Amino acid sequence: MPATTDRLARRGRLFFVIASVVMALMAATAALQVLMLLFRAGDRAGMMNGGFSFIVTPEDQIGIPAGFVAISRYAIWQSTLAAGLLTLRLIPGLVILSNLTGLFRLYARRLIFTADNEVLMRRIAWALIAYAVVPLVTHATLYFAGMSPVAVKLELRQLDAAVLGTLLFAFVNVVAFGSEIERDRAGFF
């Protein structure tokens, strides 16, 4: 049993480090994308196929896709709106990663069936549901702002996130049951 909990703690620390690195990279990328829209970096940021698009090419214009519309071609209020909507789209992913970091931190401390674990997993489930719903709001808003030809755009990853979030809520009930057993066991001794 001690070897198993030590292995769990080591894995928890490893996953914590990985989640922290991914979180930092995602946050930096998200900040860069939002700033590119706010500062109207038209040659690199814009809209394509009804969604946000960021181009990474050499300085020549050959590598830019035909449907790309530079953010500098839109009015300032539209680029500001796009930056806000992109921020809204990125928040669920950041919430998921930050709560995964906390979850792995608990695992590193050998804490599995706890109330804190339940809270973190419930937040991840809600963030997955938000990850599924937020693109519907952003696409409709971009459409009404005249920035997208598509009012409703449903992607497979949205359905995946909704299903996974729902399943995670069911798993939270299992963790809550295990947490209750742990509390009863701690009170018994």
Side-chain angles (χ1 to χ4, degrees), residues 68-88:
F68 179 76
V69 179
I71 197 68
S72 58
R73 293 195 180 182
Y74 294 105
I76 292 175
W77 71 269
Q78 288 173 312
S79 60
T80 305
L81 175 68
L85 292 173
L86 180 60
T87 302
L88 182 64

Side-chain angles (χ1 to χ4, degrees), residues 134-162:
V134 166
L136 297 173
V137 173
T138 59
H139 281 297
T141 306
L142 288 171
Y143 175 78
F144 288 118
M147 299 178 73
S148 171
V150 181
V152 177
K153 186 176 179 183
L154 190 62
E155 299 170 0
L156 188 58
R157 63 183 171 183
Q158 290 172 259
L159 296 174
D160 292 342

Side-chain angles (χ1 to χ4, degrees), residues 112-129:
I112 308 301
F113 295 109
T114 65
D116 291 340
N117 199 333
E118 292 175 52
V119 169
L120 292 171
M121 292 180 83
R122 195 168 282 116
R123 286 182 191 158
I124 292 170
W126 279 117
L128 283 165
I129 300 291

Side-chain angles (χ1 to χ4, degrees), residues 8-71:
L8 177 66
R10 278 194 306 275
R11 286 182 183 164
R13 285 189 290 274
L14 174 66
F15 291 145
F16 169 74
V17 169
I18 292 169
S20 296
V21 168
V22 171
M23 174 80 176
L25 288 173
M26 185 176 170
T29 303
L32 178 64
Q33 290 175 336
V34 170
L35 288 173
M36 288 177 77
L37 289 176
L38 277 176
F39 292 119
R40 301 169 55 82
D43 56 339
R44 300 286 179 220
M47 305 296 293
M48 189 168 77
N49 298 330
F52 303 106
S53 183
F54 299 91
I55 307 292
V56 180
T57 62
E59 293 303 318
D60 60 3
Q61 299 294 322
I62 296 171
I64 296 178
F68 179 76
V69 179
I71 197 68

